[in-house]
Amino acid sequence: MDAPVRDELPFEDLTDFENADRGFIAALVPGVVRDGEGRVVYDGDAYGFLEDDCPGSAHPSLWRQARLCARQGLYEVTEGVYQVRGLDLSNMTVVEGERGVIVVDPLISVECAAAALALYREHRGQRAVTGLIYTHSHGDHFGGARGVLPHGTEEGVPVLAPAGFLEHAVSENVYAGNAMVRRASFMYGDRLPKAPDGQISAGLGTTTSSGTISLIAPTVDITHTGQEETVDGVRIVFQLTPGTEAPAEMNFLFPERRALCMAENATHNMHNILTLRGAVVRDARIWARYLDEAIDFFGDTYDVAFASHHWPTWGRDNVIRFLAEQRDLYAYMHDQTLRMLNNGLTGTEIAEEMRLPPALEQSWHARGYYGSLSHNVKAVYQRYMGWYDGNPAHLWEHPPVELARRYVDLAGGAEWALAKARAYADEGDLRFAATLLNHVVFAEPENTEAKETLAGVYDRLGQGSENGPWRNFYLTAAMELRKGAGHVSIDTANAEMASALTVSMLLDSLAVRIDGPRAWDDRLTLDLVVIDEQRRHRVNLHNGALTHRAMPVHHTPKPHAGLTLILTRAELLGVLAGKGLTGIETDGDPELLARLLSYASEPPDKAFPVVTP
């Protein structure tokens, strides 16, 4: 990305710094969170270097954003509403009720959430958690749930979430969790050194913590805009916003506090229509419409708006201006992409042509620190047109390694390709140098000279990027080319996560692990009678596909199952974990279960190759 000259952006405007510091009470000292074994899961103090002037190894605009995101501590938003910021990628909000506190979005990790709550209690008193709210279905907004509601303390505590929350949380973190976590390591740069020439920010926050992921299933669904709930004496008015920043998301108002929570629908950066880690493509059109609806729906009922990332905006007029510009940002990207694709341009071509209106380009909160204009335009194109651009030359291309070998052959061999790539890099065409060098690496994975040269190009691309995830992707790729893939510590498919899943979700998570070719010729039918939910689940394995359906417990479908298990949901968790059938009532051939589980593939490689074949 081209770095804007300093005089192209209003660096003299310090409003964001004033707002980021407003209401500060105290920081966690030291700003380091450890797990039970002493391992560091989050280190906010590592960003102390950001107090220095921006070096040549960072984009000055991203450096500014990084300084804002690195602020850490407990802050008062308004009377009775507090936030802990800078102890994970996201914020945790604490709202004081009659008997205790309502926690909104308990961060990624149990350890960080516990540290954040302890910091609040140190300065506001030992108040019990009397309510928990998830604004949406992304892991940085629910993963630390057990840090604020440990096992044995959740009884009678309502857990509120938008309708569809659990389904979408599972689809991202369990079904496709391994691949997303691997790419997230690139996106957030969690393994990069925290340094002026390394990881400085993710734009949306500092970086992700690496502690224990948990999930407490919601007990109260928010199903429609205008729904009101009272938790611990605190009245809350909800606006449901599905399909915006997350498939299941909601904004809400605390009327008596005159405080509006915008979840992650309006933050101080351009957001992602499609994240680099992978996700369902978001709907920029409906996102803009829900922001417009929020301006009207909540009316003159708030004095401050806050979100689950970044810092609040005070003053109703300021909030309306902020929401309107965010609305226009997503609407403009959507509409102009559609205008150009209908004129025959492809996503890549539109991304090169697109420019934001000057007023938005000059708005700090519309800058591409987290989402990028280039990637977002391609995502809008993908939502409507798919990955294929209509050119049949791209319909059936060779896979990367075979394509790379042919490109290197055309270049006259690896040595010639390397020389030509260096020439492009010397001329400043880093984009094509990276493309050509990537072909050399995929054609000859052991070519250390090619890998080091490509790593150097990635260094330059990353350090010149205004976008945090782009910088982290390039720099992490350079690190892996030099050192290989490292350990990935986050586990989104652990036992704690599994304990919150429904039986159908557990069976879905088994289905995506079935090695289809090995199971092609087998046919199995099992019934699971789950006592505590009084449901029968018919499970079929046929043509390598595992399917299932739920029905009333006394309904017995035909044909009769070869094996019926009568068990609790907790016992089913043990069975799927391979703990056997001891103590479980069975009817039929127990060997069928062993056969079924034998087709489940081994846990996937958490560090599978990304920048090499």
Side-chain angles (χ1 to χ4, degrees), residues 370-587:
Y370 187 54
S372 68
L373 185 60
S374 173
H375 196 64
N376 280 345
V377 164
K378 295 169 189 171
V380 174
Y381 183 93
Q382 178 181 327
R383 181 176 179 88
Y384 286 93
M385 306 298 289
W387 66 268
Y388 177 47
D389 64 3
N391 186 335
H394 304 146
L395 186 58
W396 192 29
E397 290 184 313
H398 286 291
V401 170
E402 294 304 317
L403 198 62
R405 288 173 179 164
R406 287 160 175 78
Y407 271 109
V408 170
D409 180 58
L410 280 173
E415 187 175 341
W416 275 100
L418 265 169
K420 292 173 181 176
R422 288 192 178 106
Y424 279 109
D426 290 342
E427 293 168 5
D429 190 352
L430 299 176
R431 292 165 68 180
F432 189 70
T435 298
L436 188 50
L437 287 164
N438 182 68
H439 283 314
V440 180
V441 169
F442 270 69
E444 297 186 1
E446 304 308 316
N447 190 324
T448 55
E449 187 179 4
K451 288 197 286 189
E452 177 55 41
T453 306
L454 179 55
V457 169
Y458 284 159
D459 284 339
R460 292 172 64 187
L461 283 166
Q463 291 174 1
S465 176
E466 185 183 21
N467 181 277
W470 281 42
R471 177 186 174 98
N472 295 335
F473 246 89
Y474 282 129
L475 297 185
T476 301
M479 181 180 69
E480 291 206 0
L481 285 167
R482 292 178 173 122
K483 300 180 180 180
H487 174 66
V488 178
S489 57
I490 295 178
D491 182 8
T492 61
N494 58 28
E496 178 65 44
M497 283 284 289
S499 67
L501 307 189
T502 65
V503 172
S504 290
M505 290 172 177
L506 288 170
L507 294 174
D508 282 340
S509 65
L510 175 62
V512 299
R513 290 182 53 209
I514 295 296
D515 186 338
R518 284 203 298 117
W520 279 345
D521 299 324
D522 206 347
R523 184 165 189 165
L524 301 172
T525 300
L526 291 80
D527 277 358
L528 305 174
V529 177
V530 183
I531 301 167
D532 37 357
E533 68 169 35
Q534 286 295 291
R535 300 285 282 173
R536 180 186 297 269
H537 294 261
R538 167 58 60 96
V539 179
N540 287 299
L541 180 66
H542 188 210
N543 288 324
L546 189 147
T547 59
H548 58 91
R549 65 182 185 274
M551 60 198 73
V553 68
H554 298 299
H555 178 66
T556 305
K558 293 184 179 180
H560 290 295
L563 172 65
T564 298
L565 305 181
I566 302 172
L567 72 182
T568 64
R569 184 175 162 283
E571 288 171 331
L572 176 60
L573 278 169
V575 167
L576 295 179
K579 295 182 179 179
L581 295 173
T582 303
I584 294 173
E585 184 179 348
T586 65
D587 180 13

